[in-house]
Amino acid sequence: MIDLYASAGINRFFSEMSRDVRSAQLSGENGGTQEQTFTQWALDLLGESGEIENARPAYDEKALGTKNQHKINGYAISENYETVDLIITLYKGYDEPQKISREDVETAVKRITNFFRKAVYKDYAEEIEEASEIFQFAQTLSSSADLRENLVRINAIILTDSVYSGNPPAQANISGYPVFVRIVDLDYLYNISVKSHIPIEINFREDGFEIPCVAAPGPTTEYQSYLAIVPGDALAIIYERFGARLLEQNVRSFLQFSGKINNGIRKTIMTEPEMFLAFNNGISATAEDVTIATATDGKGQVIIAVKDLQIVNGGQTTASIYHTLKKDKADISKIFVQLKLSLVKNKQNLSSIVSRIAEYANTQNKVSVSDLSSNKPFHVSLEKISRASFTPHHDSRPVQTKWFYERVRGQYKNARLKDGFTDARARAFDIKNPKYQVFSKEDVAKYENAYGEKFSVRTIVAGPWTVVRGNQKNYVQFMSVATAIPDNIYFEDLVAKAIIFRAAEKIYGVRPNAIGDMRYITVPYTIGWLAIKTNYQLDLFKIWREQKISDALSNTLYNLMIIVDAWIRTNAPGSLYGEWAKKEDCWSQLKNADLNVDLTTLKEDFTDKKSGQRKKITEDEAALILIEEETERLRSVPPAIWHKIDEWGKLTGHLSLQQQDHCFNLVGRIRNNKAFSETERLAGIRILGIITDHVPEILFSDDNELVEESAPEQTITVTVEVLEKLMAWDRKAKKLHGFEYQFINNLVTGKKILTDHNKRIALLNIRKAVRFGFIM
């Protein structure tokens, strides 16, 4: 059966995406075409979900329609120079989703790989202007020694706002580098918008392997573990295909994963491969699903396929086997690795269990459970403050708004679904929580490290140069020193730093209307230089109150960024100034440089020591604000929808008996305007969370779809024949929700018995269908 909810979700996602892209392009904030605006939008989404790291939009095309045609819309180079992502966009920009053909895909692959071939072998960088936004990437491809030494994989990523139903083109090869094609179409973008990531699916048998395994005794409701022996050849194949994506994202971030060869592992592979299993500690991994079968030779059980394989310990082992194979041409046929694979059964606790497994598997690295999740006190406190903090009253702003901190990816979307289930409420939510005021953990690290150096004891560990290194690396460095618990004053200053950073990005601009092609470098370096040269005296509280920077500060940033941009280009040792900007040496030289900039024009922007003490919000005050908002959210859900939620919970089993009782009690409290108990309030919020995760469309139900409590009872006999007729009618009418149709189907097929209780529920669906024209 078609999942009507998923279809509706994709359509809504497409409409919101199209609106966001068009409004961003028309606003002129990012400049350029709708295609490049969509490219940036998609790269942001991929980056948030861990699908790609440090991607930058950069457009170049030449000789389209000819044999030598090429086109590129963006790129990314992994921190360890192991992977290059080449991004090309197929943007239609229609009002409704379109399909793209295999021919479109093959042309896109030809264009993007042609660019790589030209840049690597023909010194294409010499043919283009240094100010071009693609120059630095082309220069790196042709000149970087690190890239030449470590590159093992090229991903050709095709971004599109359309739907592709075919298979991706087969793996290609450019001078020994494998090229893997990924199609990131509308369905893919939608899936990563509602899920934490897209599961990696591996079929070992299709690759010619069977993985001997034994199930650990004593299965629990939480997980099932398997002990297995994996051939080195099998690990090399999956590592070549997926790379660091195999490593659980939080672990990859906090262990600062590197694909470089571990010399100890390399030596064993080269000299004593048969001893590898004895010498190596093996790999720990988790999975969503595992396919077990009898071995082809009939001897024992084997793993033939795994869904969502995530390595939580042993990524270095896997990478070293692969690199030793590729760089040293080693024979790894005698290499075998022990694998402990944990299948997490309880999906609701998936994130928590994986984090705990990762923590204990990595005890030698001193990784704490708070590091491997978003539950560190710093983040929890910052989230609470953001929900309780409104922007100050101001004559130019009739409405107080919030800066929404996303401690966990997807919080903003879920909050909007919970609060904005009618058009009026959605508009109210958007006004109070504007999308451009949403920021993430990585954003916090970016704003903080750009504005000021961070120290561990007396050693500088972060600053503008770590911002240039990319979100993952910068975030790790920031969290290594973020020990204080934030209060509202910290939050207000943080928002001020965000306003400065975002204003600087806008002032710098995007090609073709930009200072240059180094915005990701120049913005943090400029802010850092200005902060240190003014002795961190910019009045952040004033920026928080005004929710903008002054004209004087704006003009200073513009002039200063022109100077910093030119300074980095001029002083970089060699032409790879993008690589130099990732080094502390670049920052050390700039912060000590006299750029001959007049900062006296900023005297009105410096802190006024006479302005008095700033008031702190206590935890109790913040908690009261949150309670008031949660109470208002529960009361905004009409009683008829609470009944619908209760009905859905009974039919699907997704709500416990206690939660169903809470739905019933909440209806009474709302109708009679009675206060909620703390238990009822917390239960109601949890229930809305479950609905948002499974069937948010219930919250958007039209009044005529809801059960009319006052409607007179009809004399209808519920029989299997009537239900079969109802199903046949609804296959065309599509008026029943997915769970309602499935419930009727279960009664017809005998999976559920026609008890009096089930007949009463079926009768509600029949009455609903009658209102839409169903005739028995």
Side-chain angles (χ1 to χ4, degrees):
M1 188 183 78
I2 296 174
D3 190 339
L4 298 180
Y5 286 132
S7 177
I10 290 174
N11 288 335
R12 185 179 297 110
F13 172 79
F14 178 80
S15 297
E16 291 177 354
M17 174 197 71
S18 300
R19 184 174 62 249
D20 288 347
V21 169
R22 289 169 184 168
S23 62
Q25 196 265 337
L26 290 172
S27 70
E29 289 190 8
N30 289 322
T33 64
Q34 276 192 24
E35 180 175 281
Q36 279 304 88
T37 304
F38 167 76
T39 301
Q40 180 67 73
W41 182 92
L43 291 181
D44 288 343
L45 186 58
L46 289 168
E48 290 169 4
S49 61
E51 294 279 310
I52 194 170
E53 293 180 7
N54 303 332
R56 308 196 188 285
Y59 185 80
D60 189 54
E61 67 171 44
K62 191 171 184 179
L64 297 188
T66 70
K67 182 180 179 180
N68 294 319
Q69 64 184 319
H70 80 243
K71 179 184 175 185
I72 185 170
N73 292 86
Y75 68 89
I77 303 176
S78 63
E79 183 67 31
N80 52 25
Y81 295 94
E82 181 184 83
T83 301
V84 166
D85 294 321
L86 305 169
I87 297 148
I88 186 168
T89 302
L90 296 176
Y91 180 70
K92 300 293 186 182
Y94 291 114
D95 293 332
E96 295 181 353
Q98 305 292 309
K99 291 184 178 181
I100 56 171
S101 66
R102 185 174 181 83
E103 183 180 1
D104 291 334
V105 169
E106 289 175 344
T107 299
V109 173
K110 182 186 299 181
R111 289 174 174 175
I112 194 69
T113 52
N114 275 352
F115 171 83
F116 180 81
R117 191 176 287 107
K118 289 180 183 180
V120 168
Y121 297 117
K122 295 185 179 181
D123 284 332
Y124 181 66
E126 302 299 324
E127 301 176 19
I128 55 181
E129 294 182 9
E130 187 173 334
S132 168
E133 60 186 358
I134 205 66
F135 171 80
Q136 190 63 195
F137 179 51
Q139 190 80 3
T140 300
L141 290 178
S142 63
S143 307
S144 172
D146 287 328
L147 194 69
R148 294 281 185 180
E149 179 184 351
N150 295 295
L151 181 63
V152 295
R153 178 192 307 101
I154 299 166
N155 293 323
I157 302 175
I158 301 173
L159 300 179
T160 179
D161 61 339
S162 304
V163 177
Y164 180 66
S165 55
N167 294 320
Q171 175 186 331
N173 196 283
I174 299 179
S175 188
Y177 297 122
V179 180
F180 298 94
V181 179
R182 293 178 61 193
I183 314 293
V184 180
D185 67 350
L186 179 64
D187 287 339
Y188 197 98
L189 291 169
Y190 169 72
N191 282 330
I192 63 173
S193 75
V194 297
K195 301 175 183 177
S196 58
H197 65 282
I198 302 298
I200 292 173
E201 299 192 29
I202 298 169
N203 192 313
F204 287 108
R205 181 169 278 178
E206 286 184 358
D207 290 327
F209 300 98
E210 291 183 338
I211 311 301
C213 71
V214 58
T220 72
T221 57
E222 296 289 343
Y223 74 97
Q224 171 66 61
S225 282
Y226 297 89
L227 297 179
I229 303 296
V230 184
D233 289 321
L235 283 179
I237 286 175
I238 64 173
Y239 185 79
E240 180 175 69
R241 194 174 298 158
F242 300 108
R245 288 181 65 209
L246 285 169
L247 203 67
E248 201 277 325
Q249 185 181 353
N250 285 322
V251 180
R252 178 168 70 246
S253 172
F254 281 96
L255 299 187
Q256 301 186 45
F257 175 68
S258 169
K260 295 181 180 178
I261 299 175
N262 178 296
N263 286 328
I265 295 175
R266 175 179 176 271
K267 182 179 179 182
T268 301
I269 295 172
M270 299 293 291
T271 62
E272 299 178 280
E274 68 281 354
M275 298 301 295
F276 194 91
L277 185 63
F279 291 167
N280 188 267
N281 289 332
I283 295 170
S284 295
T286 62
E288 180 182 324
D289 196 16
V290 178
T291 303
I292 306 292
T294 302
T296 303
D297 60 8
K299 297 179 180 179
Q301 290 187 317
V302 293
I303 297 173
I304 62 172
V306 180
K307 182 178 181 181
D308 199 11
L309 180 70
Q310 292 281 282
I311 296 174
V312 296
N313 181 259
Q316 193 66 62
T317 295
T318 307
S320 295
I321 290 172
Y322 176 78
H323 282 267
T324 306
L325 166 68
K326 290 295 182 180
K327 296 183 184 304
D328 297 307
K329 310 301 180 186
D331 178 8
I332 62 171
S333 61
K334 296 180 181 179
I335 300 296
F336 292 91
V337 182
Q338 172 185 292
L339 168 67
K340 182 180 72 174
L341 182 64
S342 297
L343 174 64
V344 182
K345 295 180 179 180
N346 189 336
K347 307 305 179 190
Q348 291 184 340
N349 295 335
L350 177 64
S351 177
S352 172
I353 293 173
V354 170
S355 291
R356 289 165 63 193
I357 292 173
E359 175 201 1
Y360 302 131
N362 286 286
T363 50
Q364 70 271 28
N365 299 91
K366 298 182 180 179
V367 179
S368 69
V369 76
S370 58
D371 284 338
L372 292 170
S373 69
S374 300
N375 296 324
K376 201 165 187 175
F378 175 90
H379 295 300
V380 174
S381 296
L382 194 61
E383 178 191 10
K384 289 180 180 177
I385 294 165
S386 83
R387 302 299 188 269
S389 297
F390 288 87
T391 58
H393 284 287
H394 196 277
D395 292 341
S396 64
R397 297 188 307 274
V399 178
Q400 289 181 283
T401 61
K402 293 183 178 182
W403 282 75
F404 191 104
Y405 175 53
E406 269 203 330
R407 180 175 62 86
V408 178
R409 180 175 168 267
Q411 281 184 318
Y412 179 81
K413 175 178 69 73
N414 288 336
R416 191 177 188 277
L417 281 174
K418 292 173 186 176
D419 273 10
F421 50 84
T422 66
D423 289 343
R425 288 194 59 81
R427 286 193 296 271
F429 179 88
D430 291 342
I431 291 172
K432 188 168 66 173
N433 303 275
K435 195 170 184 179
Y436 63 83
Q437 290 180 190
V438 178
F439 63 106
S440 66
K441 299 191 298 293
E442 292 79 11
D443 288 332
V444 172
K446 180 168 62 178
Y447 303 144
E448 285 285 3
N449 287 349
Y451 190 80
E453 297 171 329
K454 299 295 182 291
F455 291 82
S456 178
V457 190
R458 295 183 179 180
T459 303
I460 301 176
V461 297
W465 80 95
T466 60
V467 177
V468 178
R469 290 181 181 180
N471 284 341
Q472 292 283 355
K473 193 84 171 181
N474 185 57
Y475 178 61
V476 171
Q477 297 304 105
F478 172 71
M479 290 308 298
S480 68
V481 294
T483 56
I485 302 300
D487 56 21
N488 65 293
I489 294 177
Y490 175 91
F491 177 77
E492 291 164 3
D493 287 350
L494 172 64
V495 169
K497 294 170 187 176
I499 292 171
I500 295 172
F501 196 100
R502 294 180 178 189
E505 286 188 316
K506 188 172 181 180
I507 294 165
Y508 188 96
V510 176
R511 287 291 185 182
N513 304 308
I515 291 173
D517 69 323
M518 290 172 35
R519 189 174 81 164
Y520 73 101
I521 298 171
T522 303
V523 167
Y525 269 82
T526 298
I527 293 172
W529 187 91
L530 180 61
I532 204 168
K533 292 300 181 181
T534 58
N535 198 26
Y536 303 101
Q537 289 302 303
L538 287 179
D539 192 342
L540 298 177
F541 187 47
K542 177 183 177 183
I543 296 173
W544 160 256
R545 292 196 311 270
E546 300 289 334
Q547 288 292 293
K548 63 179 182 180
I549 63 174
S550 69
D551 290 341
L553 181 53
S554 178
N555 292 332
T556 299
L557 284 171
Y558 177 75
N559 295 327
L560 186 54
M561 282 192 289
I562 293 175
I563 296 171
V564 170
D565 206 77
W567 187 94
I568 292 175
R569 291 178 191 275
T570 303
N571 290 274
S575 57
L576 296 177
Y577 46 79
E579 297 304 306
W580 186 52
K582 295 178 181 178
K583 303 180 186 299
E584 186 181 347
D585 179 57
C586 178
W587 166 245
S588 296
Q589 291 189 39
L590 177 66
K591 75 177 181 180
N592 293 314
D594 182 4
L595 301 183
N596 194 25
V597 177
D598 181 13
L599 299 180
T600 60
T601 57
L602 297 179
K603 61 182 180 180
E604 297 297 325
D605 289 284
F606 292 154
T607 302
D608 182 2
K609 295 181 180 179
K610 299 178 181 179
S611 58
Q613 290 279 331
R614 292 163 66 180
K615 180 184 177 183
K616 285 189 178 182
I617 299 176
T618 67
E619 286 192 14
D620 289 343
E621 289 172 327
L624 285 174
I625 293 172
L626 291 177
I627 289 172
E628 290 175 2
E629 292 208 340
E630 289 180 347
T631 300
E632 194 276 332
R633 182 186 304 164
L634 295 177
R635 291 194 180 280
S636 67
V637 179
I641 290 183
W642 280 113
H643 279 306
K644 198 71 174 176
I645 293 171
D646 187 16
E647 177 192 339
W648 173 83
K650 290 185 177 76
L651 296 180
T652 62
H654 284 300
L655 295 183
S656 67
L657 182 60
Q658 290 87 346
Q659 287 172 324
Q660 294 170 31
D661 290 341
H662 281 304
C663 288
F664 178 83
N665 291 330
L666 286 170
V667 170
R669 296 285 188 271
I670 293 169
R671 279 181 175 161
N672 299 317
N673 198 27
K674 298 288 187 181
F676 301 131
S677 68
E678 182 178 7
T679 300
E680 288 170 337
R681 176 177 54 79
L682 294 175
I685 294 298
R686 279 194 293 270
I687 291 168
L688 288 183
I690 293 171
I691 294 300
T692 301
D693 290 340
H694 290 84
V695 282
E697 279 69 23
I698 285 182
L699 298 174
F700 296 88
S701 297
D702 296 329
D703 290 340
N704 60 358
E705 285 189 41
L706 300 172
V707 178
E708 297 175 9
E709 299 173 65
S710 60
E713 188 69 47
Q714 299 183 30
T715 305
I716 299 174
T717 302
V718 179
T719 64
V720 172
E721 290 75 17
V722 170
L723 298 180
E724 286 176 338
K725 189 174 181 181
L726 173 62
M727 288 178 62
W729 173 84
D730 192 62
R731 289 189 193 103
K732 295 181 179 180
K734 299 290 191 298
K735 294 301 181 183
L736 295 182
H737 289 307
F739 70 90
E740 293 170 330
Y741 183 97
Q742 188 61 51
F743 178 76
I744 299 300
N745 183 60
N746 288 341
L747 292 175
V748 169
T749 58
K751 292 181 181 179
K752 287 185 179 290
I753 301 172
L754 267 176
T755 61
D756 289 341
H757 174 72
N758 287 341
K759 285 182 179 179
R760 283 196 295 272
I761 296 175
L763 182 60
L764 294 175
N765 293 323
I766 294 172
R767 292 172 62 197
K768 172 181 175 178
V770 167
R771 291 197 297 277
F772 285 105
F774 173 56
I775 301 175
M776 290 182 292

